[in-house]
């Protein structure tokens, strides 16, 4: 099993990052504008023709940690978990990100790793400035979008 | 052992990407302006006060693959390998990136994963437009730069 790991630091308070990770409005501000569902149950993230993901919220610790399990989406994603850990460091809120439990390091995993980085920078921009770059206006990184 | 994986696609020809990965001038265009050394031996990449890395060129297959071994730099990097695989797909040149052989998924590895993504997008921009975002004008992602 292999994992995608990332780390970004933001100058906004942890409460603001936590809200961006746990509310439909917040998630729509940096990941995809087509976010819906139950903030304590299953969240649905859609990306137009590309499809999307359903995430069951496994854990929510205010200002500290959010954890999801992928319940629907591409085969490679199902059963994987996505975790955001928040810590504080000299006025920065640090987001440690892990998308864990991939079966194989397939080419699609390489793509998702780079794509997650761009979305985490969109999260940073969203909590710092109020404007992120969620799909469909996300950063294009390749033929796979 | 854990690996950092990424994938970007560029609209430039493989020869152009290969040149950006194998010449001092090309590498200085997207990774760090302070690049020097022997293109067939050990390359030195420096990032001001942050330090830098020495990479021994292990493999160079024109327009297909470049592989380095880290011979000097942060402890966590020494002995790891960095591979760029180039393939073609419907007019795109695909760069599959792997920074392999990390001993542990430490916080610094999370940081380097995100940072590599930003540099690979700098590579994309450099080969497509002639202008990348190499250090010291690289994208700041956190307190760790």
């Amino acid at each position: 099993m292999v994992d995608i790991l990332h780390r970004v630091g933001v100058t906004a308070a942890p409460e603001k990052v936590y809200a961006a990770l746990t509310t439909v409005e917040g998630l729509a501000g940096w990941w995809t504008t087509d976010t819906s569902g139950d903030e304590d149950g299953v969240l649905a993230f859609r990306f137009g023709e590309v499809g999307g993901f359903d995430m069951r919220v496994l854990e929510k610790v205010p200002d500290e940690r959010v954890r999801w399990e992928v319940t629907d989406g591409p085969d490679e994603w199902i059963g994987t978990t996505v975790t955001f850990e928040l810590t504080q460091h000299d006025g920065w809120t640090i987001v440690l990100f892990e998308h864990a439990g991939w079966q194989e390091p397939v080419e699609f995993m390489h793509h998702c790793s780079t794509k997650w980085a761009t979305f985490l920078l969109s999260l940073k921009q969203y909590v710092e400035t109020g404007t992120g770059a969620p799909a469909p206006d996300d950063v294009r990184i390749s033929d796979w979008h």
Side-chain angles (χ1 to χ4, degrees), chain A:
Chain A
M1 302 248 272
V2 281
D3 306 335
I4 293 170
L5 307 174
H6 287 295
R7 179 188 190 275
V8 295
V10 306
T11 53
E15 304 85 67
K16 209 160 172 182
V17 182
Y18 183 74
L21 297 173
T22 53
T23 64
V24 166
E25 185 193 345
L27 290 158
W30 65 271
W31 198 16
T32 174
T33 56
D34 190 356
T35 297
S36 61
D38 176 356
E39 292 170 357
D40 294 303
V42 176
L43 289 161
F45 302 96
R46 296 293 177 269
F47 299 78
E49 287 175 7
V50 178
F53 317 104
D54 285 355
M55 302 281 194
R56 179 178 304 282
V57 179
L58 291 184
E59 202 179 349
K60 276 165 70 171
V61 182
D63 310 340
E64 284 184 18
R65 181 201 300 234
V66 175
R67 199 155 163 259
W68 301 325
E69 181 185 358
V70 183
T71 56
D72 205 358
D75 283 350
E76 297 92 335
W77 278 55
I78 294 177
T80 60
T81 57
V82 174
T83 308
F84 303 84
E85 296 264 5
L86 309 183
T87 55
Q88 291 183 71
H89 237 300
D90 295 335
W92 292 78
T93 300
I94 304 303
V95 182
L96 276 189
F97 171 89
E98 186 185 61
H99 182 179
W102 289 74
Q103 294 296 319
E104 299 289 340
V106 290
E107 189 165 345
F108 182 48
M109 180 179 169
H110 291 64
H111 167 77
C112 293
S113 174
T114 314
K115 203 73 198 179
W116 270 125
T118 67
F119 282 120
L120 289 164
L121 292 172
S122 168
L123 167 65
K124 173 176 169 62
Q125 197 185 329
Y126 173 65
V127 296
E128 286 177 350
T129 71
T131 307
D137 297 318
D138 49 323
V139 177
R140 180 154 200 186
I141 64 168
S142 73
D143 55 332
W144 287 356
H145 201 104

